[in-house]
Amino acid sequence: MVFPNGHVDYALKENGTNLIGVGKVKTPEVKYKTVNIEGAGIMGGMEIPLTGMIDPMNVEIDFTSVTDGVMKLGDGKWHDVALYDAFQYFNNETGEEELEADRIEMSIRAVRTNLGTVATASPADASGGYSCRKLKVYKNNAVIMDLDQLAGKHLVNGVDCAAKLREALGMM
């Protein structure tokens, strides 16, 4: 059996170049739009996800530098960035640690820039909030999630979650 251990290290890159000063990245939450229904035979109420629809996705990045990455990403343009993650597992059968190279690609644009707090003998704590319009997740070089809100794309583990919606709208 293989047990997940955690993130060993990561790099956030734009166009193959490391973004300097990145301390921590909170990746987008994929939250499905829902409706609540209630009535006869439903035993109270139920929340139902709407086919292919998701709420806005947001990325949060904490920086260890005020002038580098936070300012580069805060220029009012869309940035295609990739987060390369080295994730470690322990294989109980072999007794060995295994390292997996995962990747998260995002197209982001700043909605908030915070230059942080300035204090004597303290680290920089700048941060940024970003709208995310495209999200693609790779595990072992295989795409496991591909979301593109403007193209109507919503794939998860090979399942096209928006196919019926695109068909109903005459987009196929």
Side-chain angles (χ1 to χ4, degrees), residues 56-109:
M57 296 183 293
N58 295 292
V59 177
E60 296 290 325
I61 303 176
D62 294 333
F63 293 91
T64 60
S65 168
V66 175
T67 58
D68 297 328
V70 70
M71 299 311 289
K72 180 177 174 93
L73 295 178
D75 65 2
K77 298 176 183 174
W78 286 97
H79 293 269
D80 292 328
V81 298
L83 190 153
Y84 294 82
D85 181 23
F87 196 90
Q88 181 175 302
Y89 295 86
F90 177 72
N91 187 323
N92 192 41
E93 293 175 12
T94 65
E96 301 284 328
E97 277 81 20
E98 299 174 0
L99 205 59
E100 180 178 270
D102 297 333
R103 186 170 76 248
I104 300 172
E105 296 176 352
M106 302 172 281
S107 184
I108 62 174
R109 184 173 176 187

Side-chain angles (χ1 to χ4, degrees), residues 1 9-10 17 22 30 40 58 77-78 81 89 106 111 113 137 140 144:
M1 181 171 237
D9 204 356
Y10 76 98
T17 303
V22 176
V30 178
N58 295 292
K77 298 176 183 174
W78 286 97
V81 298
Y89 295 86
M106 302 172 281
V111 295
T113 299
V137 181
N140 282 328
I144 61 170

Side-chain angles (χ1 to χ4, degrees), residues 114-148:
N114 179 354
L115 300 180
T117 303
V118 177
T120 303
S122 67
D125 64 349
S127 63
Y130 306 89
S131 174
C132 179
R133 66 182 173 95
K134 289 196 284 188
L135 174 67
K136 194 178 231 181
V137 181
Y138 297 83
K139 189 172 185 72
N140 282 328
N141 290 318
V143 176
I144 61 170
M145 179 180 278
D146 190 357
L147 297 174
D148 185 337

